[in-house]
């Protein structure tokens, strides 16, 4: 008996080295090939079946598969030669820990993230995700096949799994997805292996060996092989079946990533989230207005509303039947602070009548042409004494009933009618504060 020739076969029935159906593999390959990658890296590739199919779907891509099993790599080279892909793929026997095979446009890492972690430390998915982010280019794609707990295992279930099994060996699916986002990936597609895929993989993993044991019961390696296969089957059937799952995360690395993979706007620092700038919708066929004076590039001036017709400046003449009717407000006047001087060009705009007459004409009317015309008319009209008034339109006069010896009241505000030229006297309350608005006299500079 030739012992070396009659060795038990290894995984000859399996197409993929994991619980992956043909239909799911086709969808994974389609999403990766749609990005048009120039180079693809398969970490823990085995015999590289998925890598070869991606290269076949993306004709312009080249691939590299790394693994530490020489037998699987030799099988992969044979498959590549049979499919005419030998010149576009390279199978390398080396460790993936700290590999310098990146950066690449696409990475396949199905069930082999432990190859990116320190073997002397517990498996750390966060460390594997950091390595994947380092190896993929911005805007690239990563397909990660990672185990997760479908439900928290009990102590009895852990005891029936692999030696030293612990609940900290894997995470829940939600925690794993959150970790991928925190590591700088966007989970474009999330899917998990079904029960049928698990059963096909687990049965196919031992099928050739079971057939060999039935045909060679007295082989020198039969007892050892039988014990190994029985142990593997028991850990699945009595241990992690229905408890351990595997998810296939198709992740995308943003082109410029800040915190949690958020894309940054140009000039933003890391951690400063980008916020889309609102755009003003334009009507069909409307030409955007030109930028105003001093506007930055790309800044559009807001169109001004049409100017209303100029209003008449003057207040109605005081009624002789009502003493003090010339006052435009019935509110009690606030006393002026002691020693405070009131500028002649300052008036209060809190009165509705005053705001509707003089303040609206001079301060809020967009058309200044009418305001300048009214001031010119008023200044050119003769004063009550018969001489032209060189002073501004507003002048201080004594308030009605005020003592002439006390001097002019700071509350008196006379104005000349811009139409008739006759003077009109009225009083306005004034109180200091930041809400005062200025009424510019005719001789003051206008903005």
């Amino acid at each position: 008996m030739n012992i070396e020739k009659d060795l038990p076969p290894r995984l000859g029935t399996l197409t993929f080295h994991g619980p992956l159906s043909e239909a799911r593999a086709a969808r994974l390959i389609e999403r990766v090939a749609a990005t048009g990658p120039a180079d693809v890296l398969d970490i823990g590739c085995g015999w590289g079946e998925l890598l070869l199919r991606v290269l076949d779907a993306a004709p312009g891509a080249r691939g590299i598969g790394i693994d530490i099993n020489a037998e699987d790599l030799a099988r992969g080279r044979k498959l590549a030669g049979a499919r005419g892909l030998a010149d576009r793929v390279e199978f390398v026997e080396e460790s993936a820990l700290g590999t310098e095979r990146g950066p690449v446009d696409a990475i396949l890492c199905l069930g082999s993230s432990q190859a990116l972690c320190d073997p002397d430390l517990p498996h750390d998915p966060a460390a594997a995700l950091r390595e994947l982010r380092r190896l993929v280019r911005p805007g690239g794609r990563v397909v990660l096949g990672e185990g997760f707990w479908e439900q928290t295992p009990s102590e009895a279930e852990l005891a029936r799994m692999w030696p030293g099994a612990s609940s900290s060996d894997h995470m829940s699916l939600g925690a794993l997805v959150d970790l991928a986002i925190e590591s700088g990936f966007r989970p474009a597609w999330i899917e998990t292996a079904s029960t049928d895929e698990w059963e096909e993989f687990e049965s196919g993993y031992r099928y050739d060996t079971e057939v060999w044991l039935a045909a060679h019961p007295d082989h020198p390696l039969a007892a050892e092989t039988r014990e190994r296969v029985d142990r593997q089957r028991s850990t699945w059937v009595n241990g992690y079946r229905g408890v351990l799952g595997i998810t296939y995360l198709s992740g995308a690395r943003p082109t410029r990533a800040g915190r949690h993979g958020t894309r940054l706007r140009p000039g933003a620092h890391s951690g400063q989230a980008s916020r889309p700038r609102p755009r003003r919708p334009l009507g069909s066929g409307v030409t955007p207005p030109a930028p105003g004076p001093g506007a930055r590039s790309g800044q559009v001036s807001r169109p001004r509303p049409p100017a209303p017709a100029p209003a008449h400046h003057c207040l109605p003449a005081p009624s002789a039947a009502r003493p003090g009717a010339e006052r435009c407000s019935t509110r009690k006047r606030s006393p002026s602070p002691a020693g405070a001087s009131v500028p002649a060009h300052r008036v209060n705009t809190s009165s509705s009548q005053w705001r509707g007459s003089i303040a609206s004409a001079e301060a809020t009317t967009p058309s200044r042409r009418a305001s300048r015309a009214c001031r010119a008319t008023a200044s050119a009209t003769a004063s009550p004494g018969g001489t032209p008034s060189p002073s501004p339109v507003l002048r201080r006069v004594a308030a009605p009933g005020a003592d002439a010896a006390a001097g002019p009241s700071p509350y008196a505000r006379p104005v000349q009618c811009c139409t008739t030229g006759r003077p009109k006297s009225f009083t306005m309350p004034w109180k200091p504060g930041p809400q005062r608005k200025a009424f510019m006299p005719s001789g003051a500079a206008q903005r």
Side-chain angles (χ1 to χ4, degrees), residues 57 126 131 197 210 212 216 229 245 277 282 303 336 339 423:
E131 279 293 286
E197 288 174 305
E210 292 286 5
W212 180 86
H216 304 82
V229 172
R277 298 180 179 179
L282 298 177
S336 176

Side-chain angles (χ1 to χ4, degrees), residues 17-380:
H17 200 303
L20 182 64
S21 64
E22 289 283 348
R24 193 182 305 278
R27 294 193 296 269
L28 293 174
I29 294 168
E30 181 181 2
R31 285 193 287 268
V32 173
T35 63
D39 38 19
V40 184
L41 174 64
D42 193 349
I43 298 174
C45 63
W47 52 88
E49 178 65 30
L50 195 64
L51 173 62
L52 295 176
R53 295 193 184 192
V54 170
L55 297 180
D56 189 42
R62 300 183 62 87
I64 299 177
I66 55 178
D67 204 297
I68 58 175
N69 190 292
E71 183 180 350
D72 288 346
L73 294 174
R75 179 181 172 184
R77 295 186 188 99
K78 184 177 180 180
L79 291 174
R83 301 179 190 183
L85 299 173
D87 58 337
R88 295 172 51 199
V89 65
E90 180 183 2
F91 290 97
V92 184
E93 183 180 355
E94 66 180 24
S95 172
L97 182 62
T99 181
E100 298 297 333
R101 296 289 179 176
V104 294
D105 288 340
I107 296 180
L108 307 175
C109 184
L110 277 67
S112 54
S113 62
Q114 69 278 358
L116 299 170
C117 303
D118 190 342
D120 297 331
L121 299 176
H123 176 51
D124 185 6
L129 287 167
R130 287 193 298 269
E131 279 293 286
L132 291 174
R133 190 176 186 277
R134 178 182 67 86
L135 293 172
V136 69
R137 292 189 183 100
R141 297 293 185 270
V142 171
V143 179
L144 173 65
E146 185 68 19
F148 70 96
W149 293 127
E150 293 186 355
Q151 61 184 19
T152 304
S154 63
E155 293 297 331
E157 291 171 333
L158 290 172
R160 294 191 294 265
M161 295 182 188
W162 53 88
S166 171
S167 59
S168 61
D169 290 346
H170 297 284
M171 311 171 69
S172 66
L173 179 59
L176 182 61
V177 173
D178 293 341
L179 182 61
I181 296 175
E182 292 176 1
S183 300
F185 291 101
R186 300 305 307 171
W189 201 280
I190 304 173
E191 49 191 327
T192 59
S194 64
T195 303
D196 292 341
E197 288 174 305
W198 270 107
E199 292 178 351
E200 184 176 356
F201 167 66
E202 292 289 347
S203 298
Y205 190 85
R206 286 172 291 273
Y207 176 78
D208 292 334
T209 307
E210 292 286 5
V211 172
W212 180 86
L213 286 173
H216 304 82
D218 299 329
H219 193 280
L221 299 178
E224 178 186 349
T225 304
R226 188 180 298 111
E227 179 183 358
R228 175 174 54 83
V229 172
D230 290 345
R231 184 173 60 252
Q232 291 174 346
R233 184 191 315 106
S234 178
T235 58
W236 169 56
V237 176
N238 301 317
Y240 61 82
R241 185 176 187 270
V243 180
L244 177 65
I246 185 169
T247 180
Y248 299 102
L249 301 178
S250 298
R253 178 184 173 182
T255 53
R256 292 187 63 188
R259 184 186 302 174
H260 305 323
T262 304
R263 184 170 180 173
L264 300 180
R265 62 178 181 268
H269 57 78
S270 178
Q272 181 179 0
S274 176
R275 181 174 298 175
R277 298 180 179 179
R279 296 183 178 180
R280 184 185 308 164
L282 298 177
S284 177
V286 178
T287 303
R296 297 188 300 270
S297 176
Q299 182 178 3
V300 179
S301 300
R302 181 176 298 177
R304 294 184 177 180
H312 190 62
H313 281 44
C314 304
L315 295 176
S319 173
R322 295 176 55 200
E326 66 276 11
R327 299 184 181 182
C328 63
S329 176
T330 58
R331 296 167 53 187
K332 184 179 294 185
R333 295 177 296 170
S334 301
S336 176
S341 61
V342 182
H345 65 281
R346 295 261 183 197
V347 295
N348 181 30
T349 59
S350 61
S351 170
S352 60
Q353 295 184 15
W354 176 262
R355 191 165 55 246
S357 58
I358 297 181
S360 63
E362 287 289 332
T364 64
T365 300
S367 176
R368 295 178 178 174
R369 182 180 302 174
S371 300
R372 290 195 295 268
C374 292
R375 286 196 297 271
T377 304
S379 60

Side-chain angles (χ1 to χ4, degrees), residues 404-440:
S409 170
Y411 303 106
R413 296 292 184 271
V415 69
Q416 289 177 319
C417 177
C418 64
T419 303
T420 62
R422 295 186 301 176
K424 291 185 178 294
S425 177
F426 55 92
T427 59
M428 281 300 299
W430 175 87
K431 56 182 177 181
Q435 302 300 323
R436 296 177 303 176
K437 294 186 178 180
F439 182 83
M440 301 298 293

